[in-house]
Amino acid sequence: MTPVGSMGQISKRCHSAIAVLESTVQGWLTAAGHLARPDPNPSATTISQTYNLARLLQTNTTKLLNTYLSAQGSPFSDPGFSALGLRWAGVPVATLPFLAWRTMGDVERLARNYGAYATFDAFLQLVWDDQDELCPNCSELLAMLGTARAQTRGLLANLTYIMAAMGIPTPPATDPLTSEAASVGAFEKKCRGYVVCREYHGWVDRTVRDFTLLKAKYPA
């Protein structure tokens, strides 16, 4: 016959073993639940980061445009200079009707952003080359153009990741410029650079609005 004291000890050990087993099973179930639960917004964090980058670029592009105009001489540097009607072939224009912008689907919205910044990547390099020739001592402007291009590539990298995570193919890579782009006259180069900096600023403003919508739709 087993002593009563021994029976009590065995009972306590059994209860302890059961408690450990229950805790272990519960841990497995919790871990399995975490592993099985899909992330509903795999690109949400990058969308938020892209919004923050675009907000930073808003300030930078304003400074870039003002610095560019100041370095070009008259009439560009004249107080109140503006030539909103001036366009340059191939430079993306951000303006479009409100309802067309507001009702745009995610695929088109992201694809248009990607296409615009892929084009600006080339144009910003061209403007840097022009200014290095026309104003080689404009070190601040040249540095700002270099930074703008680097940040543009950062935006493109983020857009590529977001589109891949959402199953959206990125547009095929194209080169919007030919070698003849470098052969225009000095005044035309100044006009082209102005249009590039102005429309780049406009596109960054639009990207902030685009990612304000996307950030609300896909919260991190």
Side-chain angles (χ1 to χ4, degrees), residues 39 41-49 161-162 215 218-220:
D39 184 352
N41 301 311
S43 60
T45 299
T46 308
I47 287 173
S48 180
Q49 291 171 347
Y161 176 85
I162 293 166
K215 192 162 70 80
Y218 302 105

Side-chain angles (χ1 to χ4, degrees), residues 15-32:
H15 282 300
S16 177
I18 291 171
V20 170
L21 180 59
E22 289 177 343
S23 177
T24 302
V25 171
Q26 183 61 43
W28 289 343
L29 292 174
T30 301

Side-chain angles (χ1 to χ4, degrees), residues 157-219:
N158 283 11
L159 287 165
T160 299
Y161 176 85
I162 293 166
M163 294 171 77
M166 297 175 71
I168 303 170
T170 55
T174 59
D175 189 344
L177 299 170
T178 63
S179 59
E180 286 76 18
S183 63
V184 301
F187 185 75
E188 286 76 11
K189 288 179 179 179
K190 292 182 178 184
C191 289
R192 177 171 62 196
Y194 162 66
V195 173
V196 170
C197 292
R198 185 194 68 202
E199 294 303 324
Y200 181 62
H201 175 67
W203 255 103
V204 169
D205 283 348
R206 175 168 160 179
T207 298
V208 170
R209 295 194 298 272
D210 284 337
F211 275 82
T212 298
L213 294 179
L214 291 169
K215 192 162 70 80
K217 186 174 181 180
Y218 302 105

Side-chain angles (χ1 to χ4, degrees), residues 104-173:
M104 193 178 293
D106 295 346
V107 174
E108 184 180 4
R109 192 178 303 281
L110 290 166
R112 288 200 181 193
N113 271 269
Y114 185 93
Y117 289 111
T119 301
F120 278 120
D121 181 43
F123 269 104
L124 286 167
Q125 179 63 64
L126 179 61
V127 175
W128 191 98
D129 292 343
D130 290 343
Q131 292 303 304
D132 187 46
E133 173 192 337
L134 298 173
C135 192
N137 295 324
C138 297
S139 56
E140 182 182 10
L141 174 59
L142 292 172
M144 293 177 75
L145 286 166
T147 298
R149 188 165 185 241
Q151 291 174 328
T152 295
R153 292 192 162 193
L155 276 176
L156 285 169
N158 283 11
L159 287 165
T160 299
Y161 176 85
I162 293 166
M163 294 171 77
M166 297 175 71
I168 303 170
T170 55

Side-chain angles (χ1 to χ4, degrees), residues 1-7 10:
M1 180 179 295
T2 304
V4 175
S6 297
M7 287 293 292
I10 292 172

Side-chain angles (χ1 to χ4, degrees), residues 36-117:
R37 188 182 301 118
D39 184 352
N41 301 311
S43 60
T45 299
T46 308
I47 287 173
S48 180
Q49 291 171 347
T50 305
Y51 168 81
N52 292 335
L53 176 57
R55 287 296 302 271
L56 172 64
L57 277 170
Q58 271 187 314
T59 301
N60 293 352
T61 54
T62 299
K63 292 178 180 177
L64 172 62
L65 179 57
N66 291 334
T67 303
Y68 180 87
L69 291 174
S70 297
Q72 306 312 306
S74 185
F76 302 96
S77 59
D78 294 347
F81 172 82
S82 178
L84 296 179
L86 183 62
R87 296 282 186 267
W88 196 274
V91 177
V93 177
T95 306
L96 77 168
F98 172 75
L99 284 179
W101 168 79
R102 185 63 181 82
T103 58
M104 193 178 293
D106 295 346
V107 174
E108 184 180 4
R109 192 178 303 281
L110 290 166
R112 288 200 181 193
N113 271 269
Y114 185 93
Y117 289 111

